[in-house]
Amino acid sequence: MRNLLLSLIFVATCAISHAANIVPQPTHYKAYSSEIVVTRQTRICVPNVALRVDAEYLRQYLPLECEIGEGGEGDIVLRTSRNLEVEGYQIEVNQHNIEIVGGSRAGLFNGVQTLLQMLPAEVYSGGLSLPIVVGCAEVEDSPKYPYRGMMLDVARTWFDVDKVKRYIDLLSHHKINKLHFHLTDDEGWRIEIKSHPELALEGGFRGGDSPIAAVYGAWGERYGGYYTQEELKRLVAYAAVRNVEIIPEIDLPGHSRTIAKLHPEILCPFEYNTAPLLGYDDRSAWCVAREENYALLGDILAEVAQLFPSQYIYIGGDEVDFSQWKSCPECNRLMREHGFDDYHLLQDLFIGRLVDTLSRYGKLPAVWNESARTATLTRQARVHGWESVEECRKATSKGYRTVVMPGQYFYFDMRQTPTEAGHNWAAIFDAEKSYSFDLAKQGFSLQQQERIEGFEAAFFSEAYIAHNPASCDYVDYMLFPRVCALSEVAWGSERSGWQAFYTRLKDSHYDRMEAMGIAFRLFPPKVKYEDGEFEVASDDGSKLYYRIDGTDEEHLFDGHLTADKPQLYTFISRRGLAHSPEVAHKSYYKTVRPAVSITSSLPESLRYPLSRAASYSAQAWSRRAGKSGDWILYTFDKVQDVRSIRIKTGNRHLPKNIFDAGYVEVSSDGKTFERIAELYGGEATIRPKNGVKAIRVVCTADGNGCRHIAVQPLEIKQ
Ligand code: TNX
């Protein structure tokens, strides 16, 4: 009686968890009006020691005793049953107990994730205080697709083990079950290979005295890191507990500049002009004809195969620069011997050799879609369609098990609106577009759909390096809530439309992500300016702030702000660690284009001369990399009185082809110059106090790992 009374008091006083709103949406979810109270006395019970690991996992979020046994009144019981699908599960929460049954440990894990989402969001922050009330419910759920993946590029920007573990946690909370681990690329080699220790010891670092050039960013010091085999084994085990399989990628035969720097003998034997690169050899493709290459690759793949239990090893196959093979006498001899008229077939030959090597280790290949182009590749390969939706359809038509990840929907290194950070080569899109992906609407026939193994999103990290890579904030912002959308698409339950999904996010999942410590992206607030007053609103309950251009301080926006110069104000919404992009009235983005001439100590490209930047039309190029003492001089026809000027070397949205280090000087008479800013990531924004007649950018670094430097038009605001 006393217990019952206490429970009633608890029911009245403690927070009741939100109804459903589970992400990804389960197939069946039925909520009842009754409740059960989880108290400190509640136990997590598993029938045998094999499931103890799952009980211990749950315990990290719900601090209860674990026990091997049947469980009794009030307990949480975890078990498996062969009658369910491997990754399927059932949950029953009734007034007596909570039971999760999984079709296997994987299914049980999925059930545990759903249960966590049925509890107050504080389960994720460690701030949960018992007792809690849980609404009674019945859930029956299983995924439509066995492959629900995320690719992390740890080669361009280094992610240490703790960061990777954190992403494994966050992904697994969304029932993502594959981590495609992009371990090698032109800019880094992140996996220890014991038979060739130099690969990680040297290839894990770039810049400073490393032979690997700092292509992305000003790294006067060695930058990077790598995973030891011991760390990788522990990581694989860590992921396995969370139902995540790690699929390692060694990107071949292109994207191999790092290993080629350490083993130049793997490159094609021809005279290469390194003059524009100040002596640096930037070739990135393995020579197909050099027999010894396959022995080295055999050594590497043997260790990779042994470290990772995944059946598939990812061997790349994307974006091979055929110009290297075209210039190679040995590759051309091979072409003639085989009667090939297409360099894709030469690539197939190379990939085919690796497929044989993998099969000796009991492994199958996974590849980027280019490797399936001619369809000579074994049908046992798993093909990842990244270039377009069309490439995904083609791979399925050729009979390949296909992972759908077209950049236009699932490359989360893409920008989310035009003025935000990130790439735009595939598209500019936010979570709504990822969420909208639909195989039938995209014209996949039923037969093609049967060959879909699942979905994957990618985060390539070349832009991350310019956004404080010591913190996860940039990645979080690019990934969430897009990963939430991916999880719905890949889990494959009936989708109810974006508005309903967005409402579920705002009502429940934002709180969870906040408790998970994710610096996720909020949708941009709407900004209006009328009759000298701002009207700004967000639709998610977040707080709004404004900033005056040129200052760092943020002020709370209380609903009223009058201003005669709307171009000076930017707005942002915040909620915990999450924030929206900065938005402003259209006048903020307005730039002026005064007449300017550009000269430089660098020889200019004939095709992309500096005059293109001077006429504000497009980026201009030099004919070689920058070296210490090089300069670019911008001279205005008339002295300019302006608010700000952004001077940018490098590509428009990537810290590449930059002055690796340097500074900016200004002059009001075109004769005497004053140093007023340092370059960061090849660029600087100046806010001149006096009129500006000329600007000079001076380089203090030798080389940038690229064939030229790019110069963007000045961005001038009045
Ligand atoms: C294309 S995706 C690439 C990567 C880049 C990415 C940037 C793929 C197979 N190749 O090397 O990092 O675009 O979005």
Side-chain angles (χ1 to χ4, degrees):
M1 185 62 192
R2 198 169 160 263
N3 273 349
L4 182 70
L5 247 167
L6 278 178
S7 311
L8 283 174
I9 294 169
F10 288 145
V11 174
T13 54
C14 54
I16 295 185
S17 60
H18 275 296
N21 282 347
I22 309 297
V23 177
Q25 175 116 53
T27 332
H28 298 288
Y29 189 105
K30 191 164 169 35
Y32 295 95
S33 56
S34 44
E35 284 143 358
I36 183 171
V37 182
V38 172
T39 71
R40 252 184 267 262
Q41 278 69 49
T42 303
R43 297 166 304 175
I44 303 171
C45 301
V46 287
N48 54 54
V49 277
L51 297 183
R52 186 168 187 110
V53 49
D54 300 287
E56 293 290 345
Y57 172 88
L58 178 54
R59 188 191 187 188
Q60 292 172 32
Y61 297 89
L62 203 53
L64 301 171
E65 289 304 310
C66 294
E67 209 174 275
I68 312 260
E70 296 282 283
E73 186 79 10
D75 287 335
I76 299 173
V77 179
L78 311 181
R79 62 184 182 87
T80 56
S81 158
R82 293 230 174 105
N83 298 332
L84 300 176
E85 300 204 18
V86 190
E87 277 208 271
Y89 67 91
Q90 289 176 347
I91 302 179
E92 183 165 334
V93 181
N94 59 39
Q95 283 161 302
H96 303 289
N97 71 357
I98 296 176
E99 186 182 58
I100 309 180
V101 190
S104 66
R105 278 205 39 227
L108 183 57
F109 182 84
N110 289 330
V112 167
Q113 291 311 315
T114 297
L115 178 69
L116 290 180
Q117 293 199 17
M118 291 163 74
L119 305 180
E122 292 76 35
V123 278
Y124 295 107
S125 61
L128 191 69
S129 61
L130 295 172
I132 49 165
V133 172
V134 185
C136 292
E138 274 173 16
V139 188
E140 236 187 87
D141 196 13
S142 73
K144 185 163 177 190
Y145 300 101
Y147 193 110
R148 305 179 301 280
M150 181 76 218
M151 193 225 70
L152 284 187
D153 167 12
V154 294
R156 272 62 172 271
T157 303
W158 166 238
F159 290 58
D160 63 25
V161 172
D162 287 339
K163 267 194 200 172
V164 179
K165 282 185 172 170
R166 177 175 175 268
Y167 282 109
I168 290 172
D169 282 331
L170 299 179
L171 296 170
S172 67
H173 290 325
H174 293 83
K175 302 188 178 90
I176 301 295
N177 66 350
K178 310 283 178 191
L179 175 67
H180 169 177
F181 211 19
H182 189 76
L183 287 164
T184 72
D185 212 304
D186 289 330
E187 297 82 11
W189 184 283
R190 307 291 183 206
I191 170 176
E192 177 191 23
I193 301 294
K194 296 214 161 149
S195 55
H196 298 280
E198 71 286 358
L199 292 179
L201 280 173
E202 302 219 21
F205 301 86
R206 63 178 186 250
D209 60 1
S210 167
I212 319 298
V215 173
Y216 297 118
W219 301 105
E221 286 174 21
R222 272 161 75 87
Y223 159 82
Y226 66 90
Y227 312 109
T228 65
Q229 295 204 351
E230 272 317 306
E231 285 171 331
L232 287 169
K233 280 183 204 154
R234 284 198 294 269
L235 202 60
V236 165
Y238 185 88
V241 170
R242 288 152 183 82
N243 190 34
V244 172
E245 179 184 63
I246 303 186
I247 299 155
E249 176 179 1
I250 306 293
D251 201 350
L252 302 163
H255 284 273
S256 298
R257 202 189 318 127
T258 304
I259 186 167
K261 270 277 127 211
L262 304 168
H263 288 275
E265 69 278 8
I266 70 166
L267 293 168
C268 292
F270 68 92
E271 210 52 56
Y272 185 67
N273 178 16
T274 61
L277 280 137
L278 310 174
Y280 187 77
D281 187 340
D282 66 344
R283 284 179 293 166
S284 59
W286 291 68
C287 178
V288 183
R290 185 173 181 271
E291 201 47 41
E292 298 90 319
N293 281 357
Y294 300 99
L296 174 53
L297 286 163
D299 291 349
I300 293 167
L301 292 176
E303 292 189 37
V304 175
Q306 193 241 328
L307 267 177
F308 294 90
S310 62
Q311 164 127 61
Y312 289 85
I313 303 291
Y314 210 104
I315 49 175
D318 61 313
E319 300 181 315
V320 183
D321 167 17
F322 289 157
S323 74
Q324 296 166 52
W325 295 345
K326 286 178 185 162
S327 308
C328 171
E330 293 301 309
C331 284
N332 285 316
R333 175 183 53 77
L334 213 53
M335 290 282 287
R336 283 193 301 276
E337 268 173 32
H338 287 271
F340 293 161
D341 54 358
D342 176 358
Y343 285 86
H344 279 109
L345 295 169
L346 200 59
Q347 173 166 342
D348 292 349
L349 200 68
F350 180 91
I351 295 283
R353 294 285 296 265
L354 302 189
V355 173
D356 293 344
T357 308
L358 287 180
S359 77
R360 285 206 297 281
Y361 308 132
K363 301 289 187 183
L364 294 173
V367 293
W368 297 112
N369 61 237
E370 291 100 312
S371 289
R373 191 146 292 161
T374 63
T376 58
L377 178 69
T378 166
R379 293 300 184 282
Q380 285 188 303
R382 189 152 67 199
V383 175
H384 289 234
W386 69 277
E387 284 178 292
S388 62
V389 177
E390 173 66 7
E391 287 299 334
C392 299
R393 278 193 300 260
K394 279 192 196 156
T396 57
S397 299
K398 288 171 189 156
Y400 292 107
R401 300 297 306 167
T402 302
V403 174
V404 175
M405 53 180 311
Q408 297 74 13
Y409 291 82
F410 296 116
Y411 266 35
F412 295 167
D413 46 321
M414 294 300 138
R415 227 173 303 161
Q416 309 186 63
T417 54
T419 53
E420 286 177 79
H423 268 300
N424 67 346
W425 69 258
I428 296 173
F429 67 90
D430 61 18
E432 182 174 355
K433 182 170 176 197
S434 309
Y435 182 83
S436 76
F437 190 89
D438 183 290
L439 288 171
K441 285 192 194 134
Q442 292 287 347
F444 286 79
S445 69
L446 286 180
Q447 199 195 18
Q448 286 174 323
Q449 289 188 40
E450 273 164 22
R451 301 217 170 102
I452 303 288
E453 193 70 8
F455 294 83
E456 181 171 299
F459 179 75
F460 280 97
S461 65
E462 54 272 52
Y464 176 23
I465 191 80
H467 291 86
N468 183 18
S471 127
C472 287
D473 288 5
Y474 179 75
V475 194
D476 281 10
Y477 183 91
M478 299 304 271
L479 259 50
F480 295 94
R482 288 193 282 196
V483 162
C484 309
L486 165 78
S487 82
E488 291 258 320
V489 175
W491 191 260
S493 310
E494 198 70 35
R495 265 174 282 158
S496 44
W498 169 254
Q499 271 317 321
F501 179 62
Y502 183 43
T503 304
R504 278 161 56 215
L505 286 181
K506 287 188 291 184
D507 285 356
S508 306
H509 208 63
Y510 275 15
D511 285 335
R512 293 182 197 125
M513 291 197 286
E514 185 171 331
M516 289 175 202
I518 304 178
F520 62 97
R521 177 184 184 269
L522 297 170
F523 283 84
K526 302 252 179 321
V527 177
K528 263 205 244 159
Y529 175 78
E530 239 170 54
D531 298 333
E533 193 169 355
F534 276 108
E535 212 180 286
V536 189
S538 60
D539 65 355
D540 54 16
S542 55
K543 282 211 169 101
L544 287 165
Y545 298 84
Y546 70 91
R547 208 168 54 78
I548 297 169
D549 196 30
T551 65
D552 289 332
E553 202 189 338
E554 279 183 11
H555 313 271
L556 189 67
F557 175 74
D558 61 9
H560 296 283
L561 183 63
T562 51
D564 14 315
K565 288 190 173 171
Q567 69 272 28
L568 293 184
Y569 295 82
T570 59
F571 298 84
I572 192 168
S573 68
R574 294 187 181 277
R575 178 194 205 280
L577 296 169
H579 64 88
S580 72
E582 266 202 329
V583 287
H585 180 249
K586 58 179 188 294
S587 58
Y588 172 82
Y589 302 102
K590 207 176 146 245
T591 54
V592 290
R593 299 173 163 195
V596 65
S597 63
I598 307 180
T599 53
S600 174
S601 63
L602 286 148
E604 62 180 341
S605 151
L606 301 178
R607 208 157 145 211
Y608 304 101
L610 295 173
S611 55
R612 281 160 56 103
S615 63
Y616 299 94
S617 53
Q619 69 171 1
W621 287 359
S622 70
R623 251 193 348 259
R624 62 160 167 80
K627 59 174 190 252
S628 197
D630 273 331
W631 49 266
I632 304 164
L633 178 68
Y634 303 80
T635 310
F636 294 110
D637 276 13
K638 297 195 191 93
V639 173
Q640 298 297 315
D641 275 308
V642 293
R643 173 153 60 100
S644 70
I645 305 177
R646 182 196 199 197
I647 303 110
K648 184 167 165 55
T649 64
N651 295 16
R652 195 163 163 72
H653 297 290
L654 262 193
K656 190 181 180 182
N657 299 308
I658 59 175
F659 270 176
D660 221 28
Y663 56 89
V664 178
E665 300 174 315
V666 286
S667 167
S668 43
D669 58 9
K671 291 182 195 110
T672 48
F673 283 82
E674 186 195 355
R675 179 166 170 164
I676 61 160
E678 302 303 302
L679 293 181
Y680 183 78
E683 67 169 277
T685 298
I686 59 168
R687 295 174 186 283
K689 290 198 188 69
N690 306 315
V692 180
K693 173 70 179 163
I695 300 169
R696 187 157 58 200
V697 193
V698 182
C699 183
T700 55
D702 282 327
N704 59 6
C706 304
R707 306 187 71 78
H708 56 255
I709 72 133
V711 181
Q712 299 296 331
L714 294 173
E715 197 180 285
I716 307 171
K717 288 179 172 168
Q718 211 137 35

